Amino acid sequence: TPLYSSAASDVYKRQILGPLTNPASADSMVVGVAEYELLKQYKEILSKLGCKKAIIVHGEKGLDEITTVGDTHVESIGLEFPRKINSESMGLKESSSDDIKGEGIETNAKIMYQVLAGKLPNNNPIVQSVAANAGAGLLVGEKVDSIKEGIAIATETIENGKALNKLIELRQKLKDRAPKNSIFDPPHSTLQIGGIFGGIAHNVIADKCFVNWETRPVVKEDGVFLNTELDKYTNEVLLP
């Protein structure tokens, strides 16, 4: 989308214009804004753009997401939602800015892995922050009837570490299937994630996600094995 990107040439402009000018034209979304004054402006503009359902949020201390640090101010479209929420109203523990701040790419990647793998306790401030925003996404996507219900489902999914654990399981199975005296390095088949796509802006919870993956099968049967395993997991665990 070069035409759109050129109109939003710096980070601040992209944060503001991204959800409003993206050609995907999502009609349901959770949007975060870093300035309180943008809440009503976003609501008005999104309504005019045909958005049917949205939760627009601004967290205290300039956070463009639902936060457990103080209050989160809210404007909504197409559904009843409180104008202000906090950790207590969501059934979560209040945290501080220091509890959820990042510390660089490597540390943040490690923390994200720990979250997705269910290696952090449910009351961890970062886990609760992720669950709160994911819960709002489930509400807007009409998968739940309240943000508390959405948070509960998100927390359970995080705790189980289902998706990440399945990839770890497949990795071990591929290692176990490696032929003896393999001439390849590594000696077993591998699965490569080529790209993950979805959403319309970094501060909008995506309603869809696409994962492009490929395999490097050491033996032909491994390609069939991976397709079968992933299809079964998707249909029996993820989709229900």
Side-chain angles (χ1 to χ4, degrees), residues 39-228:
L39 283 170
K40 290 187 177 181
Q41 295 179 39
Y42 257 67
K43 178 177 181 178
E44 181 179 352
I45 295 172
L46 288 174
S47 297
K48 290 181 178 179
L49 290 174
C51 182
K52 297 178 181 178
K53 190 168 292 187
I55 295 176
I56 306 126
V57 301
H58 166 71
E60 286 191 359
K61 302 184 184 299
L63 295 175
D64 59 351
E65 61 185 47
I66 296 175
T67 180
T68 55
V69 182
D71 294 329
T72 298
H73 301 275
V74 183
E75 291 287 344
S76 59
I77 300 172
L79 74 166
E80 293 184 7
F81 199 84
R83 296 286 300 278
K84 188 193 310 186
I85 57 176
N86 54 35
S87 56
E88 182 179 0
S89 66
M90 293 185 288
L92 301 173
K93 182 180 70 173
E94 186 171 1
S95 56
S96 68
S97 298
D98 288 339
D99 292 331
I100 60 173
K101 70 178 181 180
E103 297 181 16
I105 295 175
E106 290 187 6
T107 300
N108 290 348
K110 181 180 179 180
I111 292 173
M112 184 55 65
Y113 168 80
Q114 291 175 326
V115 171
L116 295 177
K119 294 182 178 295
L120 298 177
N122 289 345
N123 63 352
N124 178 279
I126 296 175
V127 172
Q128 293 202 334
S129 179
V130 171
N133 286 276
L138 291 171
L139 176 61
V140 169
E142 300 181 344
K143 302 299 182 182
V144 295
D145 296 323
S146 69
I147 189 170
K148 279 190 174 182
E149 184 182 353
I151 290 172
I153 292 176
T155 301
E156 180 183 0
T157 302
I158 292 170
E159 182 179 24
N160 291 338
K162 289 181 179 178
L164 187 59
N165 286 339
K166 183 62 180 179
L167 290 177
I168 294 173
E169 175 191 328
L170 286 176
R171 180 180 63 182
Q172 186 58 50
K173 286 184 176 181
L174 289 175
K175 288 182 178 180
D176 295 340
R177 292 168 61 91
K180 294 181 179 180
N181 302 319
S182 174
I183 63 173
F184 298 98
D185 182 21
H188 53 83
S189 298
T190 57
L191 184 150
Q192 163 76 20
I193 302 297
I196 302 176
F197 310 95
I200 61 175
H202 82 279
N203 57 337
V204 179
I205 295 177
D207 61 342
K208 294 182 179 65
C209 179
F210 302 92
V211 179
N212 290 342
W213 64 276
E214 62 181 3
T215 182
R216 184 211 60 153
V218 170
V219 292
K220 181 179 179 181
E221 291 75 14
D222 282 353
V224 177
F225 164 76
L226 276 174
N227 276 318
T228 302

